[in-house]
Amino acid sequence: MLNQKDILETQAMIEKQHLDIRTITMGISLLDCCDPDLKTCCDKIYRKITRCAKDLVKVGNDIEAEFGIPIVNKRISVTPIALVAGSCETDSYVEIAKTLDAAAKTCGVNFIGGFSALVQKGATTGDWKLIRSIPAAMAATERVCASVNVGSTKAGINMDAVAEMGRIIKQTAEATKDDGCMGCAKLVVFANAVEDNPFMAGAFHGVGEPECVLNVGVSGPGVVHHALQKVKGQPFDVVAETIKKTAFQVTRMGQLVGVEASRRLGVPFGIVDLSLAPTPAVGDSVARILEEIGLEVCGTHGTTAALAMLNDAVKKGGVMASNHVGGLSGAFIPVSEDEGMIAAAERGTLVIDKLEAMTCVCSVGLDMIAVPGNTSAATISAIIADEAAIGMVNTKTTAVRIIPALGKDVGDRVELGGLLGSAPVMSVHSEGSEAFVARGGRIPAPLQSLKN
């Protein structure tokens, strides 16, 4: 039961500490849209999405106005298109991407996720068609997001797919170079991808999900940062407890909005993803939380330990506030989307190797990092392989969203705008990984996969 103090605290969080619902995302199954004829398939997809999500934006806006809780994004995720389009008699899925984009515009959402393939153990003909359609699809659409899952704890890592994704990312950068290589900001490569993620660019509607479902992503780095300012110099036990209590309040708000939106839309409520998702705004940074804990600059020694404690405390607080916590749930560290991360990267304290170490204990992975435009496809593939290995061995979701900034070098900056922010171009190792990537095949699943 909320008392007056709780209500006033939440109001202050919203007005002064950047607390918001980052997204309400409607997941829609498109399995009943399969058809050998491409045009028929596209027509079915458009009708299904626009029918199911026709009221999503209106309901979100109504709740925002009535409850006074900002809902920043309204989004849609769909069944991985490689599954839906597998029977289509076509060599390219670009027309399906255009259909998704048109449906997203009709519904008024800012992103639609699910131009995706799951190839952790091997790829079908449809999977390869989708993967090779990504560069043209990203160039031809505004709101479509793509993802490819190349590894899992159970299956190992599909190194043929990893090698191909390095080339695809380079091609996507080239295809969208006139738009700041924006296509790469809408493309993520996963290991252990989850089926109920409400956040872009990696959201898709998994085959284990219901016909239609509503998932909520909350955000509150600014709230956690503000709370920690009140316990300066206190032991880590106090710091962890403070984060837990704050995460509880943030997640309760997400639960409230999710249940209400679900009721009004007439679809089941799925999960609350309680990830701390930063923005480029000052005061809404995960990096600044880590610095408040005691680091001079994010990326220095101690950063991984501080992030591990933050991630754990967020999860412990969140699971007590909602019956259904899911998605990624933890702390995101997207460089371009976090004002403190940008500052640390520009200072040279935060480097890719340190980010990789941090991904062992955080929610996702190497997210929204820009590298020199002349970085080779093999180097990008090797970065993906490293990150997938962390996810595979640690039984957690990891991902890479990397932008080869064409025409730019270390020290330059890529301007992406909005929540995507701006990415300082970070250095990569000059030594090659071509022979490693060229081996192909599959890295076997680790021993911990044998749990049956």
Side-chain angles (χ1 to χ4, degrees), residues 395-452:
T395 320
K396 68 185 292 293
T397 304
T398 53
V400 172
R401 191 161 43 144
I402 189 169
I403 304 164
L406 300 183
K408 296 183 182 293
D409 208 338
V410 177
D412 295 333
R413 185 183 279 215
V414 179
E415 297 292 338
L416 298 165
L419 286 175
L420 296 176
S422 61
V425 179
M426 304 175 75
S427 64
V428 298
H429 291 289
S430 58
E431 295 79 8
S433 308
E434 285 78 5
F436 169 77
V437 172
R439 285 182 178 273
R442 181 155 54 99
I443 293 179
L447 188 61
Q448 53 265 45
S449 69
L450 303 177
K451 292 184 177 180
N452 289 337

Side-chain angles (χ1 to χ4, degrees), residues 132-209:
R132 288 162 184 162
S133 298
I134 287 174
M138 295 298 97
T141 61
E142 178 186 355
R143 310 185 190 202
V144 175
C145 292
S147 61
V148 178
N149 191 72
V150 298
S152 71
T153 301
K154 195 70 178 174
I157 302 172
N158 181 348
M159 288 300 294
D160 293 322
V162 169
E164 182 67 4
M165 288 312 300
R167 295 187 285 268
I168 292 296
I169 289 169
K170 290 282 287 186
Q171 292 168 20
T172 302
E174 185 66 36
T176 59
K177 63 182 178 182
D178 294 336
D179 193 23
C181 304
M182 178 63 78
C184 296
K186 301 186 296 171
L187 168 60
V188 58
V189 184
F190 275 118
N192 287 322
V194 297
E195 296 190 337
D196 55 4
N197 170 22
F199 287 101
M200 300 296 169
F204 63 85
H205 187 70
V207 295
E209 295 289 297

Side-chain angles (χ1 to χ4, degrees), residues 40-60:
T40 302
C41 181
C42 289
D43 289 344
K44 288 181 178 180
I45 288 172
Y46 181 84
R47 289 197 302 268
K48 178 87 179 271
I49 293 171
T50 53
R51 182 180 77 249
C52 292
K54 67 181 187 302
D55 295 326
L56 177 62
V57 172
K58 179 182 182 300
V59 166

